[in-house]
Amino acid sequence: MKQSINILISGGGTGGHIYPAIAIANEIKLRYPDANFLFVGAKDKMEMEKVPQAGYEIKGLWISGIQRKLTVDNLSFPFKMLSSLRNASKIIRKFKPDVAIGTGGFASGPTLIVANSKGIPTLIQEQNSYPGITNKLLSKKANKICVAYDNLDRFFPADKIVKTGNPVRQDLLSVHTKIEEGKSFFKVDKTKQTILVLGGSLGARKINQLVEENLEFFKNQEVQVIWQCGKLYFEEYKKYNELENVQVHQFLNRMDLAYAASDIIISRAGASSVSELCIVGKPVIFIPSPNVAEDHQTKNAKSIADKHGAILLKESELETFPIIFETLLKDKGKQEHLSENINELALPGATTDIVNEVEKLLKK
């Protein structure tokens, strides 16, 4: 097989689609140092910034999703789709990929549709327990579908499915060895329990409001808080850095050390977060966003909670948070039980397994 291979990767819109795509590219690059990579994303979305930061070239398509209500954007969707199909065709004709990989998001639709039409082998990676519409459509023509959850043959052709898990940052695989380093990095009191609050890179309004309402409660429980409030909310909440037991961050660049320093984690339930938290193996309270397609975050969280690996707390039930949190905080046995169960669901070899499937397509 030729070593100078051309790899086309499309995925974006959120970190949950972008970071798996970058992880897959990095693993292929390790195996094939002379490989050429080209990413395709949606113009004005975060991949246009994050992918070049990771050292890869990216082209942008004029594409967005269909909103659930009637909007001007919906009226322009057919034009965006036609434009994106035409531009994806130009990109593919010029780049001549040996394989095309889609990790979800708006741009992966037209990109992989064109790749399939030109007979290029395609692989899609579905992060969630409930697939989005793009991957459902692409699955009909895809050669291989890498998934992170069981029972996805309800949505995809069973003979194409391989359960690999979701790619995660490699520095998370050794979190359990970094506890002392993490506590020193965040300057937390080693004699007190620390909670880590995550609402995604942009932030989560309901989770931020919940933390703000319970700051006095956390103080009374002698709990320290590492709070990633997100880019959209930092100006609003940074004042709480004045409190002795609270540190507010816009973004956490050392997620491995944040996980290592924490005893209990409160988090959204996006697919990447769930996969990371399985590997980290700490007690988790999932508060899924109800404002995502097909309510997939609730389904992700439920798949872990049903196996006694986490606590699922819906946004509509947040008034019960203090009771749930205090009970968990004071029950070391429950904390250990949750940690063990969520860790058993981890699939740390996901990136390697996905790239093994890519290699099989390259050899065809």
Side-chain angles (χ1 to χ4, degrees):
M1 183 177 61
K2 64 176 179 174
Q3 297 301 297
S4 181
I5 52 176
N6 294 340
I7 307 291
L8 187 72
I9 304 180
S10 185
T14 66
H17 295 312
I18 298 164
Y19 296 120
I22 291 170
I24 292 166
N26 290 343
E27 176 66 20
I28 296 172
K29 197 173 183 179
L30 277 176
R31 300 189 196 187
Y32 301 96
D34 295 327
N36 303 304
F37 295 88
L38 181 62
F39 281 69
V40 179
K43 284 180 180 175
D44 305 322
K45 293 293 182 181
M46 64 188 289
E47 59 263 30
M48 302 308 292
E49 177 189 346
K50 299 294 182 187
V51 169
Q53 283 175 359
Y56 296 103
E57 184 185 355
I58 187 167
K59 303 279 187 187
L61 302 179
W62 183 47
I63 188 71
S64 60
I66 300 175
Q67 307 299 314
R68 294 184 208 180
K69 55 192 178 202
L70 187 62
T71 65
V72 174
D73 272 355
N74 279 356
L75 296 175
S76 65
F77 179 78
F79 303 101
K80 289 182 177 180
M81 191 66 182
L82 287 170
S83 163
S84 294
L85 288 166
R86 190 166 58 247
N87 285 323
S89 189
K90 286 179 188 173
I91 290 166
I92 287 171
R93 199 180 312 124
K94 186 176 179 184
F95 184 64
K96 297 182 176 61
D98 294 287
V99 68
I101 300 163
T103 60
F106 307 136
S108 65
T111 305
L112 267 73
I113 286 170
V114 171
N116 283 325
S117 74
K118 293 183 182 296
I120 295 160
T122 61
L123 176 146
I124 58 176
Q125 196 257 326
E126 174 54 58
Q127 295 101 29
N128 290 295
S129 58
Y130 196 98
I133 190 166
T134 302
N135 275 352
K136 281 185 196 170
L137 291 170
L138 292 173
S139 69
K140 294 175 174 61
K141 295 285 180 68
N143 296 81
K144 195 61 69 176
I145 304 161
C146 295
V147 303
Y149 293 91
D150 295 322
N151 305 317
L152 284 176
D153 52 357
R154 293 176 295 154
F155 310 104
F156 299 142
D159 59 331
K160 297 179 180 181
I161 294 174
V162 182
K163 187 181 177 186
T164 56
N166 288 323
V168 298
R169 289 169 272 208
Q170 294 303 293
D171 59 6
L172 301 185
L173 300 178
S174 56
V175 158
H176 62 285
T177 68
K178 301 177 183 178
I179 293 170
E180 289 298 314
E181 185 186 355
K183 289 183 184 294
S184 297
F185 184 85
F186 285 98
K187 299 181 174 65
V188 294
D189 185 338
K190 295 174 186 178
T191 66
K192 295 179 179 177
Q193 290 200 71
T194 301
I195 65 164
L196 172 64
V197 181
L198 304 170
S201 54
L202 296 178
R205 178 176 292 281
K206 287 282 189 182
I207 290 180
N208 286 336
Q209 289 171 343
L210 178 73
V211 174
E212 184 178 38
E213 288 163 8
N214 285 281
L215 288 174
E216 190 66 27
F217 167 72
F218 291 137
K219 183 182 176 184
N220 293 337
Q221 297 293 325
E222 296 191 335
V223 166
Q224 302 167 110
V225 184
I226 300 173
W227 178 8
Q228 181 186 287
C229 67
K231 185 178 178 181
L232 298 178
Y233 302 98
F234 185 67
E235 289 303 314
E236 185 178 349
Y237 293 112
K238 65 181 181 183
K239 61 188 177 188
Y240 294 117
N241 273 317
E242 297 169 6
L243 300 178
E244 189 182 342
N245 67 320
V246 178
Q247 44 183 289
V248 186
H249 300 266
Q250 176 175 319
F251 188 75
L252 294 167
N253 288 314
R254 288 301 305 269
M255 277 304 306
D256 58 330
L257 297 185
Y259 285 135
S262 65
D263 297 290
I264 295 172
I265 299 167
I266 297 168
S267 176
R268 283 299 200 205
S272 292
S273 297
V274 173
S275 296
E276 289 186 357
L277 290 165
C278 287
I279 285 169
V280 168
K282 298 282 178 88
V284 180
I285 299 173
F286 283 121
I287 304 176
S289 169
N291 308 313
V292 291
E294 310 291 354
D295 198 20
H296 67 252
Q297 284 204 10
T298 300
K299 295 180 175 77
N300 291 347
K302 190 173 185 301
S303 71
I304 306 297
D306 284 351
K307 293 172 182 169
H308 310 290
I311 294 169
L312 168 56
L313 179 60
K314 294 182 179 178
E315 278 194 0
S316 58
E317 300 166 350
L318 289 182
E319 70 280 356
T320 64
F321 171 79
I323 297 165
I324 288 169
F325 181 79
E326 187 174 358
T327 303
L328 179 60
L329 186 71
K330 293 180 174 174
D331 189 342
K332 289 290 186 186
K334 172 86 167 175
Q335 289 183 33
E336 287 172 14
H337 184 65
L338 290 175
S339 292
E340 287 168 8
N341 288 347
I342 195 169
N343 199 221
E344 281 179 11
L345 301 173
L347 294 165
T351 312
T352 301
D353 292 345
I354 291 166
V355 175
N356 288 344
E357 296 301 322
V358 173
E359 280 197 315
K360 289 175 190 175
L361 295 181
L362 286 167
K363 288 171 183 173
K364 282 190 174 180

